[in-house]
Amino acid sequence: MSTSLGLLKKANLLAQTRGLAFCEFIEKYNISAIAKFSLIDNYFYITNSYNFDIQSIMASKSSLDFWNGIAAIKNTLYSFTHKEKSITSLLQFFSFKLKDSIEKIQIVRENESIYMICNSNFDQKDISHLITVNDNLPKVTCNLDKISKNSFINKIHINLEKCIDNYLSNQNLNSQIKNIFTNSIDNEISNQLYFNFSNNNFFCKNSKLDFSLALNSLQDLDERIIKQHLFNNFNQVIENTSNIIIEFLGKSENYSDLANFLKVE
């Protein structure tokens, strides 16, 4: 085999191994809610999720013995439903607010990860796509097709570091567990922002719990309305949003300004 063909084969295998980004997987399979549990120091914790609130994320610490009893065989789809009265032991992972909305849970376990898929109809044949999902956000692009000549594009900076730090600091956690939950909540909020604002708008993650949003509208929207809309979104994850920073940085006047704001390469 030539060197070039060998490198091409290796690149193709690497691409297959990387699989879909977490949000891309959710879109592709129309998942309502999902959590990835990762094994850390002999316990499982939610490390990435979509449509889980902060109380549910913090309730995720669970033992190997528990999951060995629930999903012993790897790469197998397990289903639990209210109708069959098999779901009870899994409801401990949901906050009081979310618990009543959970009708069906599907579980897939691999080596050191467990995926919990809620209220969806995932199929056994698609497990190979699930176990190659990566935790990265989809790459930021500036698709000019989204922008009309009459568009108003508000540049908004969002930071939740103080909000989340204050909340977790009141939970009597050691530094390692606090860091695990900070990263998990960061992923949940990143996924929420992606789905709520990447369709006709532009969104990027600057760093942990720090984001840039370019809101694209045919109307010059009132900043108070935008801010309330954002707070309503964050309220789905954390109830106390008082320390969230939302800054309006003017409007993008051209593509170069927008690309620079979103750090598009």
Side-chain angles (χ1 to χ4, degrees):
M1 183 183 289
S2 71
T3 302
S4 59
L5 287 175
L7 289 173
L8 180 59
K9 183 177 181 181
K10 188 174 181 180
N12 287 334
L13 288 171
L14 183 60
Q16 291 169 18
T17 302
R18 286 175 178 165
L20 296 168
F22 195 74
C23 288
E24 291 171 335
F25 172 82
I26 292 168
E27 286 182 301
K28 180 178 176 67
Y29 292 100
N30 194 28
I31 304 295
S32 298
I34 183 172
K36 176 185 177 181
F37 290 69
S38 298
L39 184 62
I40 304 171
D41 290 342
N42 294 317
Y43 284 94
F44 282 94
Y45 301 85
I46 288 178
T47 54
N48 204 352
S49 61
Y50 174 60
N51 278 337
F52 276 66
D53 58 20
I54 196 168
Q55 291 88 357
S56 301
I57 291 169
M58 293 185 66
S60 66
K61 183 179 180 181
S62 46
S63 69
L64 276 164
D65 287 343
F66 173 82
W67 289 109
N68 286 339
I70 292 288
I73 304 172
K74 295 173 184 175
N75 301 335
T76 299
L77 186 66
Y78 293 87
S79 292
F80 307 85
T81 66
H82 264 302
K83 187 176 181 180
E84 296 172 352
K85 299 181 179 179
S86 58
I87 203 171
T88 306
S89 63
L90 292 168
L91 293 179
Q92 64 180 298
F93 298 115
F94 299 90
S95 66
F96 186 78
K97 182 171 70 173
L98 293 183
K99 196 169 292 187
D100 289 343
S101 67
I102 304 301
E103 295 293 330
K104 178 181 179 181
I105 295 174
Q106 294 173 289
I107 300 291
V108 177
R109 181 175 181 174
E110 55 165 337
N111 290 332
E112 295 188 346
S113 299
I114 292 167
Y115 291 91
M116 175 184 286
I117 300 170
C118 306
N119 297 343
S120 301
N121 292 305
F122 193 66
D123 196 283
Q124 172 80 35
K125 66 181 174 60
D126 296 315
I127 286 179
S128 60
H129 298 285
L130 174 62
I131 62 178
T132 59
V133 165
N134 66 72
D135 289 327
N136 299 327
L137 281 168
K139 188 177 179 180
V140 178
T141 60
C142 281
N143 184 358
L144 293 178
D145 292 338
K146 294 181 180 181
I147 306 173
S148 79
K149 63 179 181 179
N150 298 318
S151 286
F152 294 90
I153 301 177
N154 286 284
K155 296 183 292 185
I156 304 167
H157 171 236
I158 302 166
N159 187 285
L160 296 96
E161 290 178 278
K162 185 176 180 181
C163 173
I164 301 305
D165 184 68
N166 285 355
Y167 181 89
L168 293 179
S169 294
N170 292 326
Q171 306 302 313
N172 297 317
L173 306 171
N174 65 44
S175 59
Q176 182 191 21
I177 303 301
K178 182 180 177 183
N179 189 53
I180 290 170
F181 287 141
T182 299
N183 290 333
S184 304
I185 295 160
D186 174 49
N187 284 332
E188 171 66 42
I189 290 170
S190 299
N191 296 332
Q192 289 282 342
L193 285 168
Y194 174 82
F195 281 110
N196 288 325
F197 295 103
S198 66
N199 188 20
N200 291 312
N201 305 293
F202 304 92
F203 151 75
C204 79
K205 181 174 180 175
N206 304 318
S207 58
K208 190 182 298 183
L209 295 168
D210 191 89
F211 309 92
S212 293
L213 172 65
L215 198 59
N216 177 26
S217 174
L218 292 176
Q219 301 178 42
D220 191 4
L221 299 174
D222 190 314
E223 290 183 3
R224 291 172 299 177
I225 294 174
I226 297 173
K227 187 173 284 191
Q228 188 58 54
H229 181 57
L230 286 165
F231 279 129
N232 288 343
N233 277 275
F234 295 132
N235 190 246
Q236 302 302 307
V237 180
I238 182 168
E239 292 182 358
N240 186 354
T241 58
S242 59
N243 289 305
I244 295 175
I245 295 170
I246 299 176
E247 300 175 301
F248 291 84
L249 304 178
K251 294 180 173 60
S252 281
E253 300 296 336
N254 53 57
Y255 176 83
S256 177
D257 178 58
L258 177 61
N260 184 58
F261 175 65
L262 296 172
K263 302 179 177 65
V264 174
E265 296 178 359

